[in-house]
Amino acid sequence: MIYKLSQFRDEVTSIHVLDDDRNFIKSIPFDEANTSYQEYLEWVAEGNEPEPADE
Amino acid sequence: MSSIVIQGDTSGSITVEAPSVAGTHTLTLPKATGNIATDATVGLGTKNLIINGDMRIAQRGTSATGLGNNDTGYHTVDRWQIWENGSPTYEFTQTQDTDVPTGQGFANSLKMACTTADATLSADDAFAFRYKIEGQMLQHLKYGTSNAEQITMSFWVKSNKTGTYIVNPWASSEISKAYTIDSADTWEKKTITFDANTIDTISNNNSTGLTIYMYMLVGTDRTSGTLNTTWSALTTANRAVGQVNLADSTSNYINITGVQLEIGENATPFENRMYSQELAMCQRYYQTISKMAGYSGPTTSGIQCSVAYPIPMRATPTMSQSSVFRFDDAAAGFTQSSTGLILGSTNNTGTLINITNITVNGTFRPHGKANTATLNLDAEL
């Protein structure tokens, strides 16, 4: 599973989750009440970093 | 006004009082042994804290196979999650089933059927139905105070695997109670009352306030102690003592339905809510949208869609799609080359999204006709 930041109108607005073949699975908003975002924050807290957004 | 006073064998008494009006009125008591619930013990209004306790809403689908290792999550019926721990080799199929107890008014149950057996569980294995309730839905339980309420859980269950099963509510501390499936392949109604929880204060917000585990199997990590039948700090060894192993044969299955959790020490009849009401309550946590309209500007890629959710959600949802979207106008259809969407401005009531991997320009594109894909919004606990 791959986390990749996603940009909309020059602003990073969400996090994409991609499978190992880089197919889109889901888009996670920056909302601390969202359980997918909570899992992402735990992943970051383990020292991981998402891929940057496409320019 | 006439009355009869029945004196208890200690200091208490109960008074039965006739109305002070003319006429004969008959109060017939039920032909049953049990306790009568009154408005002193049962909250009026929505009494069942469980949404979709009759398993009739299944927005994600009606069957999911191969459930076992790394499959914690929601698969078929709404609000009912499976939870697993360890690295299990067993597998189950989950279905929204039509096998229900006769004459109770239910149309569906939730079934787990073992498809790959594991008769020798690892110590840390565990597998359960898991149900989470928001803290702001639980404030009337007055947990963490001396006025805390008892709660009673009732449900129908059927399995070929008789024996002891454990139900384990967890707030910050936890409690476990056992029930027994007495007869194989027979629907049985079970009622479990849990003590008032004077220990844990539940936050008044949209996060999880109470989690209920209904175990199907556990390894020795959760059975090696003494069953914890009063609210107390989490001790893993005391969580599910006596629990049978539902995965020890591919003949094994369990069905549950009619799950109700209510204030008090009595189980009252299942609260039948309108279908539309139950669906709306589920949509606070998960919903699918199959019709959208969008616009593709002459210099932008993809199609931008503004989506207002039919029901405000618990939190800003995670978004996915079931398959590629197709957008049609009067002249042609346009289909994504692969799935993809980008969130724009978004919250728990609606969103602006850009549907990517599709090439159209400058024309309003209604989303419909041959489209079969759904936008899936997930704000579950």
Side-chain angles (χ1 to χ4, degrees), chain A residues 3-5 8-10 13-18 20-22 26 28-34 37 41 47 51 53:
Chain A
Y3 285 115
K4 178 182 172 68
L5 298 177
F8 185 79
R9 292 178 181 164
D10 300 325
T13 53
S14 60
I15 307 144
H16 277 181
V17 178
L18 311 175
D20 292 340
D21 295 324
R22 305 193 68 78
K26 59 186 178 181
I28 302 171
F30 293 103
D31 180 350
E32 292 186 358
N34 180 294
Y37 185 59
L41 291 177
E51 293 185 5

Side-chain angles (χ1 to χ4, degrees), chain B residues 210-283:
Chain B
L210 185 68
T211 302
I212 299 169
Y213 294 84
M214 299 179 75
Y215 289 104
M216 290 176 270
L217 60 88
V218 290
T220 54
D221 280 357
R222 289 171 174 77
T223 62
S224 57
T226 302
L227 193 66
N228 177 31
T229 57
T230 58
W231 287 99
S232 53
L234 189 155
T235 302
T236 302
N238 297 343
R239 296 189 87 175
V241 180
Q243 171 68 44
V244 300
N245 176 10
L246 192 67
D248 65 3
S249 167
T250 54
S251 299
N252 291 353
Y253 69 90
I254 190 169
N255 288 61
I256 61 168
T257 193
V259 185
Q260 180 153 285
L261 183 68
E262 58 194 305
I263 282 186
E265 59 182 333
N266 299 308
T268 64
F270 185 80
E271 179 181 42
N272 289 292
R273 295 190 278 248
M274 301 281 282
Y275 178 87
S276 55
Q277 184 184 11
E278 201 77 47
L279 175 61
M281 293 169 79
C282 291
Q283 286 176 323

